Amino acid sequence: MKILFIASLGILSLTQTSPAFADIINGKNLYIQRCAMCHGTDIKGTGPLANKSNPPTPDLTTSAFKKRLKDYPGVIVSSVILRPNGDLIPKTLRENGVKISPYAWKVQDFRDLNQYMSGVISKNR
């Protein structure tokens, strides 16, 4: 009976999506929908609009950015997205005819995006 119970728990754990996986999926979806057009799917600043902004879109896989992302998790991502006086991102999108609907960012979204980006960056280095 004990073995059957343990086996059932094992099977149950395989059929449920872990919260970490869901967070990564949310981060990936946010990145693809809202960031990849400039930063590219590889996060290296290779998206179709990368060279159409001034300054050009940076490579986020550099060791300097990786350190900033690790030292200030979530802060770097949220400060770029929510910068109060910067108009670089909306201006670049507007000038290139890209329309992105407004999005009500949640703290968890920033965490998920940070987690996704950190994972991609660690694979690139």
Side-chain angles (χ1 to χ4, degrees):
M1 189 66 167
K2 194 176 191 180
I3 293 173
L4 182 61
F5 178 71
I6 293 171
S8 298
L9 286 177
I11 292 170
L12 184 61
S13 71
L14 292 175
T15 60
Q16 293 181 347
T17 304
S18 70
F21 181 73
D23 294 345
I24 292 170
I25 292 299
N26 182 47
K28 180 177 182 176
N29 287 337
L30 287 168
Y31 181 84
I32 289 169
Q33 294 166 6
R34 308 193 80 77
C35 310
M37 67 195 69
C38 292
H39 292 283
T41 56
D42 60 1
I43 306 184
K44 293 185 177 191
T46 59
L49 299 181
N51 294 319
K52 295 185 178 187
S53 66
N54 187 10
T57 305
D59 177 351
L60 302 180
T61 65
T62 63
S63 57
F65 184 80
K66 185 177 178 180
K67 180 177 179 354
R68 287 175 44 205
L69 200 59
K70 182 180 176 218
D71 291 347
Y72 308 102
V75 174
I76 300 302
V77 173
S78 62
S79 68
V80 169
I81 294 167
L82 299 176
R83 77 171 77 112
N85 60 355
D87 189 37
L88 176 62
I89 295 169
K91 179 180 175 194
T92 299
L93 298 176
R94 201 171 41 250
E95 287 176 349
N96 289 283
V98 178
K99 294 179 182 175
I100 297 180
S101 59
Y103 185 76
W105 290 90
K106 297 176 281 215
V107 171
Q108 188 62 46
D109 292 331
F110 293 124
R111 290 179 180 145
D112 296 348
L113 188 55
N114 184 76
Q115 182 179 1
Y116 171 72
M117 290 174 62
S118 296
V120 173
I121 290 167
S122 69
K123 290 176 188 175
N124 282 314
R125 290 287 164 179

